[in-house]
Amino acid sequence: MKFLRKFIRSPSAKTQSHRALDCGAGIGRITKRLLLPYFDYVDMVELNQDFLTEAKTFLGEHSNRVERYICCGLQDFTPESSRYDIIWCQWVLGHLTDTDLTDFFKRCRTGLAPGGLIIVKENVAATVKRDFDEQDSSYTRPRDELVELILRSGLIIVTEEKQKGFPKGIYDVIMFALRWP
């Protein structure tokens, strides 16, 4: 993925590629297809233990490069100090309340290695009001609301990019690279 590569593989990259954290990892699709090709090791944090158990099978021969399978909700998770070059959050932050989200971001500060980044990839609502999905109990926040929560957490937006290639009529998907001042 070009968005990630520019931070870890470009000549001006300041972020290492030793270890990443996959937040809301499910069975490990992002771990297997995106993070493991770029990072030496990945940790997975996921609320559902059954998903983490299945991840070991799904990852197959790559499962030995997942150092930690952490069963925990992000609202309760605190990363180990200076452990991660990238903390990857994709389509999971809508499950957190505003307070839980800002608190999670603040706790991630200590988990980042020098030069580390938090990458957020989320759907954003086209309206000024958030949408609630009763089926999976999550919110899709408008872009401006998500940005406000990021800034309230004390993070700086390094870059923001709208994902291209999605069909019209569905949510926009925006990726953010975030760092601490």
Side-chain angles (χ1 to χ4, degrees):
M1 164 185 261
K2 201 162 65 170
F3 187 81
L4 177 60
R5 272 195 315 265
K6 66 183 164 189
F7 297 109
I8 60 172
R9 297 281 164 95
S10 74
S12 62
K14 295 179 182 151
T15 302
Q16 301 296 309
S17 58
H18 181 61
R19 188 178 288 113
L21 175 67
D22 185 357
C23 296
I27 65 166
R29 288 181 183 94
I30 297 299
T31 293
K32 183 176 185 175
R33 296 182 181 133
L34 175 69
L35 299 176
L36 284 173
Y38 290 107
F39 292 87
D40 299 331
Y41 301 99
V42 176
D43 289 350
M44 297 170 61
V45 62
E46 167 57 50
L47 180 63
N48 186 318
Q49 181 59 54
D50 291 339
F51 289 166
L52 290 173
T53 301
E54 176 63 26
K56 293 171 186 169
T57 302
F58 177 76
L59 294 168
E61 65 187 45
H62 304 291
S63 65
N64 65 335
R65 291 182 39 227
V66 175
E67 292 183 311
R68 297 179 182 174
Y69 296 85
I70 305 160
C71 187
C72 186
L74 297 182
Q75 69 276 9
D76 299 316
F77 178 71
T78 300
E80 181 183 322
S81 180
S82 301
R83 184 168 173 84
Y84 302 107
D85 300 304
I86 292 285
I87 297 177
W88 189 275
C89 306
Q90 180 168 329
W91 292 320
V92 66
L93 301 179
H95 293 282
L96 299 176
T97 66
D98 292 354
T99 300
D100 286 340
L101 177 56
T102 56
D103 289 348
F104 169 70
F105 280 150
K106 289 173 185 175
R107 290 191 307 275
C108 285
R109 180 179 202 159
T110 62
L112 288 174
L117 296 169
I118 299 171
I119 305 292
V120 170
K121 181 175 180 177
E122 286 288 328
N123 293 343
V124 293
T127 61
V128 294
K129 192 175 174 196
R130 64 177 66 184
D131 292 334
F132 182 71
D133 183 333
E134 291 184 24
Q135 216 168 22
D136 74 353
S137 299
S138 69
Y139 287 99
T140 301
R141 295 175 172 96
R143 180 213 165 270
D144 291 348
E145 187 176 314
L146 184 54
V147 167
E148 161 62 26
L149 294 170
I150 289 167
L151 298 177
R152 189 184 312 162
S153 301
L155 289 160
I156 292 171
I157 298 172
V158 175
T159 191
E160 173 182 344
E161 187 175 297
K162 181 179 170 184
Q163 181 112 20
K164 296 176 178 83
F166 282 98
K168 301 258 186 252
I170 64 170
Y171 291 120
D172 285 340
V173 176
I174 297 185
M175 295 176 289
F176 298 91
L178 312 172
R179 69 170 175 81
W180 294 99

